[in-house]
Amino acid sequence: MHRPAVGKRIAAAFATASLTGVLGLVGSAPAQAAAPEPLSFTVDFANTSFPQFPKLGGGFAGNGPALDSNGNQIGTVYDTCAVDGVENVTTADVICHVFVKFAGGDELDLSTQAPVDVNPLDFPYTFNAVVQGGTGLYDGAQGEATIIATKPHVYQVVVAFK
């Protein structure tokens, strides 16, 4: 008759040990890094190769300074885009991959499908981009950027991280 009691004790000991092991593993899991603080900057893509007459499938690239709210350069923004829709001779829809390289070496990676309008009468307009990670502070970052085209080649970028 003592055997069932011994068996129950052994089973209870294994269950307790297993639960303790699982809790120990959960407790030792690395904590997720906090999302970076929201970020805002302006970029002037005056150095861009946007075609005078956009054609479906055509590409272009650009770069420009990333400026903080005081006008100080905090990095450089690089983009590569492909035209995926042409509305008229001055407006196109483009898919762009954007890298922001900050002065400290951290990089932020954004991707968007955006309108590009070279008609100065059609400003401002807004579109969104997806945060796809980066390096350093932005390694593994996720979120969304709201981009406001304020005039030709000039964009205000506001990034919210998750």
Side-chain angles (χ1 to χ4, degrees):
M1 293 242 167
H2 290 298
R3 288 188 186 236
V6 172
K8 286 182 183 177
R9 285 185 196 151
I10 293 173
F14 279 129
T16 303
S18 295
L19 180 59
T20 303
V22 168
L23 291 176
L25 289 175
V26 170
S28 67
Q32 278 191 319
E37 292 293 318
L39 176 65
S40 179
F41 59 90
T42 300
V43 61
D44 184 348
F45 280 120
N47 296 322
T48 189
S49 63
F50 187 75
Q52 184 175 2
F53 300 103
K55 294 181 183 175
L56 187 62
F60 61 95
N63 65 69
L67 306 173
D68 67 12
S69 60
N70 296 321
N72 299 313
Q73 185 168 351
I74 58 172
T76 303
V77 182
Y78 303 90
D79 74 342
T80 303
C81 303
V83 176
D84 66 344
V86 178
E87 295 177 25
N88 57 49
V89 295
T90 63
T91 306
D93 290 318
V94 299
I95 295 175
C96 294
H97 202 133
V98 180
F99 290 97
V100 184
K101 185 165 185 166
F102 293 97
D106 297 328
E107 295 180 2
L108 180 63
D109 183 6
L110 305 171
S111 184
T112 187
Q113 194 282 338
V116 175
D117 194 336
V118 295
N119 184 346
L121 302 177
D122 294 337
F123 290 88
Y125 61 88
T126 302
F127 57 95
N128 295 318
V130 176
V131 174
Q132 295 186 300
T135 65
L137 178 64
Y138 304 107
D139 182 26
Q142 296 180 343
E144 183 176 339
T146 300
I147 303 168
I148 303 163
T150 58
K151 59 185 178 180
H153 308 292
V154 178
Y155 301 89
Q156 176 66 38
V157 181
V158 179
V159 184
F161 298 98
K162 291 183 183 181

